Structure formats: structure tokens, C-alpha cells
Amino acid sequence: MKRLFLAVTAVAGLAMSLPAAAQFQKPEDAIKYRQSAFQVMSAHFGRIGAMANGRVPFDAKVAQDNMAIVTVVHKLPFTAFGEGTDKGLPQRAKPEVWKEAAKFKAAGEKMQAEVAKLDAAVKAGNLDAIKAAFGAAGGSCKACHDDFRAEKYSSN
Ligand code: ASC
């Protein structure tokens, strides 16, 4: 029993230390994963946006709880754009994601830098700083969408 436990924990530890990109069995899995990560990110980013834009009252604790989720999730989609994942399920990723990989990586890093600034503002609980940082973070989402996200889903 103890040996089994050791074997299971060894395998689990190895799985956790592998780059996430290596863990998808099929392109479909990677596509679903990145679409899901973007969806979760958007839901929680949007709840902070609702406060930044005055649509709901500002509550620092709610902002912090949502930001904690964004902070965990925002890097995940970029582990799931491996070669060969341009097909497999309907998606909006443009071929430029792979053709202009350096530019795509830079756009993702820009978003991550803006998310880090938003995190600092949310942790400080300063609504004016949150408004500014939210605008910049949303701008980094939009810039990447403009270049790398198609209007329509592909057919496969
Ligand atoms: C969001 C969301 C996005 C970005 C983008 C900003 O809340 O879901 O994709 O902000 O709309 O322009």
C-alpha cells in the first residue's frame, strides 16, 4: 500500500512539473482548455470591470476574490496554442497565432504585465488606480483580439 502511494505521488509530481503544453493528448483537448481558460478569465475580469465602470458598487473584497482567479487563470491559455492545434474544433484563433508566433507571445506578455498592474491596484483597494489599470488591461486583451482572433468560428 505504501509503495502504491509512493508510485502515485511520484507520477502526480511528474505530471505537475511537466509544461502544461505537453499534457494535451489531442488538439481538441488543447483547444477546449484554452477556450475554457479564456471564458473563466473573462467572467472574473468582467466582474472587476463592472466595478471599475461603476455598473456595480465597488467592493474591495469582491474585486480581490475575482482578481485572485484572474491571476491564476490568465497564463493558462498560452500553454495550449501548440503546433497542430489550429484545427480540431471550431475556434477563432487566426493562423497568425502560429505564423507570427513572436508577435503573439509578445501580445500575451503585454496582457500579463497589465494584469500584474491591475492586481497591484486591486490589492491596494484603490478604485481610481483600478479604473486606470483595468482600462490598460482591457486594452491589451483587445489589441491581441484585433490581431489574432477571427470574427467567426472556423468550421473545424
Ligand atoms: C473583457 C473580455 C474581453 C476583454 C475585451 C477588452 O472583459 O471578456 O475579452 O475585456 O473585451 O476589449
Side-chain angles (χ1 to χ4, degrees):
M1 199 58 202
K2 189 164 174 222
R3 268 168 69 184
L4 177 65
F5 176 76
L6 289 176
V8 168
T9 49
V11 169
L14 179 66
M16 281 187 285
S17 66
L18 286 172
Q23 296 182 10
F24 300 108
Q25 302 267 337
K26 313 188 283 295
E28 297 92 291
D29 295 344
I31 297 164
K32 257 190 252 174
Y33 178 96
R34 69 195 187 213
Q35 290 175 341
S36 305
F38 278 129
Q39 187 178 3
V40 171
M41 185 173 146
S42 170
H44 296 281
F45 185 70
R47 287 173 202 166
I48 298 166
M51 290 187 262
N53 296 324
R55 278 182 283 122
V56 307
F58 177 58
D59 181 324
K61 169 81 166 66
V62 173
Q64 284 158 13
D65 289 348
N66 282 290
M67 196 67 218
I69 297 170
V70 172
T71 299
V72 169
V73 174
H74 78 296
K75 291 182 182 170
L76 302 181
F78 300 97
T79 65
F81 283 97
E83 287 299 325
T85 64
D86 56 330
K87 291 202 167 47
L89 278 182
Q91 58 178 294
R92 293 169 71 188
K94 286 186 183 173
E96 283 74 11
V97 167
W98 296 274
K99 279 192 231 156
E100 296 176 21
K103 191 177 164 194
F104 180 63
K105 184 164 182 280
E109 286 169 358
K110 168 76 176 155
M111 179 275 282
Q112 290 171 18
E114 297 301 343
V115 164
K117 291 183 204 164
L118 180 60
D119 185 41
V122 168
K123 282 198 174 113
N126 178 332
L127 184 56
D128 284 335
I130 292 170
K131 286 180 182 173
F134 182 83
S140 71
C141 302
K142 182 175 185 303
C144 192
H145 294 164
D146 288 349
D147 289 338
F148 296 103
R149 187 176 73 167
E151 281 298 314
K152 290 188 180 162
Y153 280 85
S154 64
S155 54
N156 63 5

